[in-house]
Amino acid sequence: MAVSIIDSSASVTSLVGNLEDRPTNPPSLYLDLEGIALSRHGSISIIQIFLLPTNHVYLIDIFVLEQAAFDTASQSGATLRSILESALIPKVFFDVRNDADALYAHFNIKLRGVHDIQLLEVATRKVAPRSPPKDILFGLQRCIANDAQLSAKAQQCWEATKEGGKALFAPASGASYEVFNIRPLPDNIINYCAGDVVHLPRLWKVYSQKIDKSWLERVQEETRKRVAMSQDESYDPHGKDKAFSPWATKKKARKNKSRSKNKAGRAKETIRFGTRNTASPKKLSPGEISAAKIFQRQAEKRLGKTIVHQLSVENTERELPRHGAEYEDAQKPSAIAKIPLESRFTRQDLPTRPKGASRSDVATNANTGKPTSKKSLMWICTTCSREMLQSQQQDHLGGQAHKRLAKLQETASNASHSTVTDIRKPSKENPTAAIKSQKAKAKSAPKKRIENPPAIRHIFAKPSEDRVSSDILQITDHPAPFAGHVRVLTLNSPQNKNAISQRLLNKLTEEIRKVEDSIRNEDRAWQAKREDARLGHGTRVLIIGSEVDGVFCAGADLKERVNMTVAETNAFLQCLRQTFRSIAHLRIPTISAVPSTALGGGLELALATTFRIFSPVTEVAFPETRLGIIPGARGTVRLPHLVGRTRAADIILTGRRIGASEAFRIGLCDRIATTEGQTQGKMPTNNPSWRRNVMKEALYMAWDICKGAPGAIRPAVRAILGASDEAEIREYAQVLPMKDRTEALVAFREKRMPIFKGT
């Protein structure tokens, strides 16, 4: 078996020429993909193609070629894209779903002419008392073991190749999928990629000989559905339903579900009309009583209050007027209005009643017998920007949360010479005088900085309820103004001074990907113009800090690095670069809270964020040249952009330590967090006060950022990353139709604070 690596335009041209005009029965092309989180949320590194009858494996390097791999034409004008999208050229995959998802999401390739071996296996699986049912899908490893008919020696060789490849990228063994992006490719990865695809022709032949015509048509239809589903916005690459066959037999489950639904329907009628009497009462079965109780608990859980009658033994004796004149009378509005309110609600009626509403909150229209409009019952607090029922207004205004926020906004308004009092409702006696009095009071107030916003008081007063503790990384969410939250990631590895080990890097990468997915989902919902689409209701600002006194990050874990091979070191660096690149390209502001020492990779982590906040005792340096290496996570790229080429060369080549004052002067640091009475000479560098002050300053900055419109911060970040007139024009056009922009103009005219909702 020959293996060729395609990593240049010339080799792509030659490959496409070889793929043209090949036999279609049996298929000549057998494909598989490898990458990092292979789906729309990850990336494609390699495409493997096994070509019959030459028995040649081609590994197309997508990581290097990117778009050129699909658009480079042969002498006849054909491209790899046209081959993948041709319905006349059969292409064989094993479980095409994530492969089709990744190709469509990253390169807009719509696969056609696909044969899915996984579905062929299910269709040919015999259903016998002791054989596996057709409900569950098998993986490639099990299919090869069961049906490839390999010799014992070939099976053992294939399993050894499989395990050797997994050892390099399986996260369970402490490795990373970034190994697929190491160039040149390690031999074990080349053997692993070729090992799977070479057995696909054998499996296709075995299943094609066993399947009949009717099942083949069903497989082809389901394969087309798989490809179409993977290109839909709602597709989940890691959904639990992916393990089930499209022909799963669940007749018994469907029958039980239908029976429960009928019982619940009868129970709802009992609840709705249980207060009336007829001459022929009908008893309920035990099953109907149980279904009614389940429905009752669901209703209570949704509304927070009991809105249905408690079922008792007496209720089971009540009638069910489901036929005749009494049923028609019961449906009339006048008759329904006479029934107690809680008796009229069915499951369809529940959403018309606002959450938390009491019985007196929902009035009944005398003509229609229906509850009044929800909008007429709602009230918005201009201080807290919260929507609630009118009956809850007095309780809210007297609550501690409202009073604290009102006091905070009053202090903020005094500091900015503006009033936060709701001047839309001035005193009835003299409205103009009330407004003038408020303005004069605001102007006469002394300027002073806002004390701890709620998020800052929250972290230093008591532990956050949204805090997730870990032995190496801690995640905390703090509520932001208007909507969303500020996420804080704090490094917590005191035994090695927060050095970046493989474990810490994997955890940090995982959390950054979660933030990326949240932002991406919000953007997709907004672009799809869904009614529930809101911007800024997830993570609005990301802060990276330290939980260890006296250090931010000491760089790479050199003790762990000593035991790494060259290939493992390259894989680690690739993952480190990708993670820092993801932080730098996040579409939200990012802040590094650096309380003390940051060396090597720790400084590169800080450089990847939008802002850097130091304490007076912070020292940063690039000591790599004294260790026989250079900064390897884009430190030599990002530092010159901030401080200039000459200063960057001074810092990198000498390896000297830079203090906070010099860092601020040359532009490496954006703010220095100090508190009155604290100076560098009075406190040691490992004093907890420095760490708390830096984090407090970072939260202050995050709070100031989040006071802007949620839908404006993200386009502003994208425009800054674009750094061009075209990017600014494009992003400005995105914010023009937003309702938050109109709300800001109206609030300015009415001389009040705007209420942003991210729409």
Side-chain angles (χ1 to χ4, degrees):
M1 178 188 66
V3 179
S4 299
I5 298 178
I6 309 300
D7 57 359
S8 65
S9 298
S11 58
V12 172
T13 302
S14 176
L15 170 65
V16 175
N18 290 337
L19 299 182
E20 293 181 277
D21 301 327
R22 289 290 177 178
T24 59
N25 191 18
S28 299
L29 304 182
Y30 300 83
L31 295 87
D32 192 16
L33 277 69
E34 299 293 347
I36 302 172
L38 185 65
S39 65
R40 64 185 64 185
H41 305 310
S43 61
I44 304 175
S45 301
I46 302 169
I47 295 180
Q48 306 104 274
I49 299 180
F50 182 76
L51 182 62
L52 283 182
T54 61
N55 293 338
H56 199 110
V57 176
Y58 297 94
L59 303 183
I60 306 176
D61 196 340
I62 305 300
F63 178 74
V64 173
L65 296 173
E66 296 182 341
Q67 196 73 32
F70 302 100
D71 296 336
T72 301
S74 65
Q75 294 180 354
S76 63
T79 63
L80 184 59
R81 178 187 298 273
S82 64
I83 292 174
L84 293 174
E85 293 183 342
S86 173
L88 302 178
I89 303 176
K91 296 162 284 290
V92 181
F93 290 80
F94 188 94
D95 191 0
V96 73
R97 289 173 290 187
N98 279 13
D99 296 347
D101 175 38
L103 288 170
Y104 179 72
H106 299 298
F107 300 102
N108 198 27
I109 293 176
K110 299 180 180 179
L111 285 177
R112 297 179 66 191
V114 174
H115 293 213
D116 197 323
I117 294 180
Q118 189 180 48
L119 294 179
L120 284 172
E121 187 278 329
V122 179
T124 57
R125 192 186 305 166
K126 293 183 179 180
V127 180
R130 294 188 179 182
S131 63
K134 291 191 177 184
D135 296 357
I136 304 298
L137 296 172
F138 288 171
L140 178 59
Q141 188 169 358
R142 184 168 180 178
C143 290
I144 291 176
N146 293 347
D147 304 319
Q149 301 173 359
L150 300 178
S151 64
K153 185 176 180 180
Q155 179 78 17
Q156 185 179 5
C157 180
W158 175 76
E159 290 177 354
T161 303
K162 191 86 170 175
E163 294 302 323
K166 283 185 177 180
L168 293 179
F169 65 80
S173 60
S176 170
Y177 284 97
E178 293 284 347
V179 71
F180 287 110
N181 292 341
I182 295 177
R183 298 298 178 269
L185 282 169
D187 292 340
N188 285 351
I189 293 298
I190 294 176
N191 295 334
Y192 174 84
C193 294
D196 285 346
V197 74
V198 296
H199 296 299
L200 295 184
R202 186 187 295 267
L203 292 176
W204 186 89
K205 182 178 180 180
V206 169
Y207 299 140
S208 298
Q209 292 175 349
K210 295 166 60 176
I211 195 169
D212 58 32
K213 185 177 180 180
S214 61
W215 268 105
L216 181 60
E217 293 176 352
R218 296 172 69 178
V219 167
Q220 292 172 347
E221 179 63 26
E222 288 298 332
T223 302
R224 286 191 289 269
K225 288 181 180 179
R226 275 191 165 191
V227 175
M229 176 186 64
S230 67
Q231 298 171 0
D232 189 79
E233 290 185 359
S234 61
Y235 174 68
D236 182 6
H238 308 292
K240 295 181 179 179
D241 58 338
K242 290 186 63 181
F244 294 98
S245 160
W247 307 294
T249 56
K250 298 180 180 179
K251 294 182 180 179
K252 186 174 181 180
R254 286 196 295 268
K255 184 177 180 181
N256 292 339
K257 183 178 180 181
S258 176
R259 184 181 300 169
S260 300
K261 185 176 180 181
N262 292 337
K263 291 180 179 180
R266 292 184 63 189
K268 283 194 286 187
E269 287 200 57
T270 305
I271 295 170
R272 182 169 181 177
F273 300 106
T275 56
R276 296 176 58 85
N277 295 318
T278 61
S280 57
K282 187 173 181 179
K283 294 185 178 181
L284 297 179
S285 66
E288 291 172 338
I289 296 175
S290 176
K293 289 182 178 180
I294 294 174
F295 169 71
Q296 173 191 353
R297 288 195 295 269
Q298 292 175 346
E300 292 176 0
K301 185 176 181 180
R302 291 182 63 182
L303 295 183
K305 293 178 180 285
T306 302
I307 63 166
V308 292
H309 279 307
Q310 296 288 343
L311 285 179
S312 60
V313 178
E314 294 79 15
N315 288 65
T316 63
E317 299 289 343
R318 293 176 181 172
E319 78 297 349
L320 291 172
R322 297 191 288 180
H323 305 285
E326 293 187 2
Y327 176 75
E328 296 177 359
D329 293 341
Q331 298 301 313
K332 294 180 180 179
S334 57
I336 295 177
K338 295 178 182 179
I339 303 174
L341 182 63
E342 64 274 14
S343 301
R344 291 189 292 106
F345 277 82
T346 63
R347 179 168 294 192
Q348 289 76 17
D349 297 322
L350 294 180
T352 65
R353 184 175 179 176
K355 187 176 180 180
S358 60
R359 299 179 184 178
S360 60
D361 290 329
V362 184
T364 303
N365 190 303
N367 297 324
T368 64
K370 296 181 179 180
T372 57
S373 173
K374 178 179 177 180
K375 293 183 179 179
S376 62
L377 302 173
M378 306 310 291
W379 172 78
I380 298 177
C381 177
T382 57
T383 301
C384 306
S385 303
R386 290 183 57 189
E387 187 177 5
M388 64 193 72
L389 295 168
Q390 291 181 359
S391 61
Q392 298 173 329
Q393 177 179 353
Q394 296 301 325
D395 293 340
H396 172 73
L397 294 177
Q400 294 297 324
H402 171 82
K403 291 180 179 179
R404 284 197 301 267
L405 189 56
K407 185 177 180 181
L408 170 67
Q409 292 187 354
E410 182 180 359
T411 308
S413 301
N414 291 340
S416 59
H417 293 284
S418 62
T419 177
V420 299
T421 307
D422 188 5
I423 61 174
R424 292 178 295 175
K425 298 180 181 180
S427 61
K428 296 181 179 180
E429 293 77 13
N430 192 348
T432 306
I435 295 174
K436 290 182 178 180
S437 174
Q438 293 167 1
K439 289 182 177 180
K441 183 178 179 180
K443 289 183 178 181
S444 62
K447 289 187 178 181
K448 60 180 181 180
R449 185 175 184 175
I450 309 173
E451 293 303 323
N452 291 352
I456 301 176
R457 289 203 305 269
H458 186 57
I459 188 173
F460 292 112
K462 60 179 181 179
S464 172
E465 295 178 357
D466 298 329
R467 190 181 185 112
V468 180
S469 296
S470 171
D471 57 341
I472 201 164
L473 189 69
Q474 292 188 343
I475 304 99
T476 313
D477 289 341
H478 305 290
F482 304 115
H485 57 262
V486 176
R487 174 154 294 183
V488 180
L489 305 179
T490 50
L491 311 181
N492 184 28
S493 183
Q495 65 276 9
N496 59 359
K497 297 184 178 180
N498 286 344
I500 303 176
S501 60
Q502 183 69 59
R503 186 162 163 242
L504 175 59
L505 179 59
N506 291 341
K507 185 66 176 176
L508 182 62
T509 303
E510 178 185 352
E511 294 303 325
I512 296 301
R513 283 179 180 170
K514 288 180 181 179
V515 176
E516 281 183 318
D517 291 343
S518 174
I519 296 172
R520 188 181 295 112
N521 292 337
E522 282 190 5
D523 288 345
R524 285 179 178 171
W526 180 260
Q527 292 171 2
K529 297 182 179 180
R530 286 169 29 190
E531 294 182 358
D532 59 341
R534 297 289 188 276
L535 292 180
H537 279 240
T539 301
R540 297 183 60 190
V541 179
L542 178 68
I543 299 175
I544 300 178
S546 170
E547 199 72 18
V548 181
D549 296 325
V551 67
F552 172 70
C553 178
D557 191 345
L558 299 181
K559 294 181 181 179
E560 183 181 74
R561 183 73 63 86
V562 170
N563 300 322
M564 287 185 177
T565 63
V566 175
E568 291 173 341
T569 303
N570 285 331
F572 177 86
L573 288 176
Q574 289 286 351
C575 184
L576 186 68
R577 293 177 187 133
Q578 180 63 37
T579 302
F580 288 1
R581 186 185 299 117
S582 299
I583 295 173
H585 289 84
L586 278 178
R587 287 167 283 185
I588 58 173
T590 53
I591 303 172
S592 289
V594 187
S596 188
T597 308
L599 305 176
L603 179 54
E604 288 177 312
L605 173 59
L607 291 174
T609 58
T610 314
F611 306 100
R612 285 152 297 282
I613 299 177
F614 290 2
S615 74
V617 299
T618 298
E619 290 184 340
V620 297
F622 277 125
E624 280 87 346
T625 56
R626 301 181 182 183
L627 300 173
I629 55 176
I630 65 171
R634 294 184 65 84
T636 58
V637 177
R638 294 192 176 100
L639 185 62
H641 286 173
L642 284 175
V643 303
R645 183 177 298 178
T646 304
R647 287 196 176 105
D650 175 19
I651 296 172
I652 294 173
L653 298 180
T654 63
R656 66 186 181 90
R657 296 198 174 196
I658 305 297
S661 58
E662 183 180 357
F664 184 81
R665 178 172 55 82
I666 65 178
L668 180 57
C669 161
D670 299 292
R671 295 188 185 184
I672 298 178
T674 59
T675 302
E676 187 176 356
Q678 293 182 354
T679 61
Q680 184 172 352
K682 291 185 178 181
M683 268 193 236
T685 57
N686 61 351
N687 191 290
S689 297
W690 298 123
R691 178 173 55 85
R692 288 197 296 265
N693 291 342
V694 170
M695 182 58 68
K696 186 183 293 187
E697 186 69 27
L699 287 169
Y700 273 129
M701 175 179 275
W703 182 265
D704 291 337
I705 292 172
C706 292
K707 286 195 290 188
I713 299 298
R714 198 172 298 171
V717 173
R718 289 197 297 262
I720 293 170
L721 291 174
S724 65
D725 293 340
E726 292 79 8
E728 183 182 271
I729 293 171
R730 181 178 63 252
E731 298 303 331
Y732 197 93
Q734 296 288 331
V735 301
L736 278 177
M738 296 191 68
K739 295 180 181 179
D740 281 352
R741 172 180 160 285
T742 306
E743 163 64 14
L745 296 176
V746 173
F748 178 80
R749 183 183 62 198
E750 297 179 355
K751 299 181 180 180
R752 60 173 175 84
M753 294 181 66
I755 303 173
F756 296 125
K757 296 184 179 180
T759 58

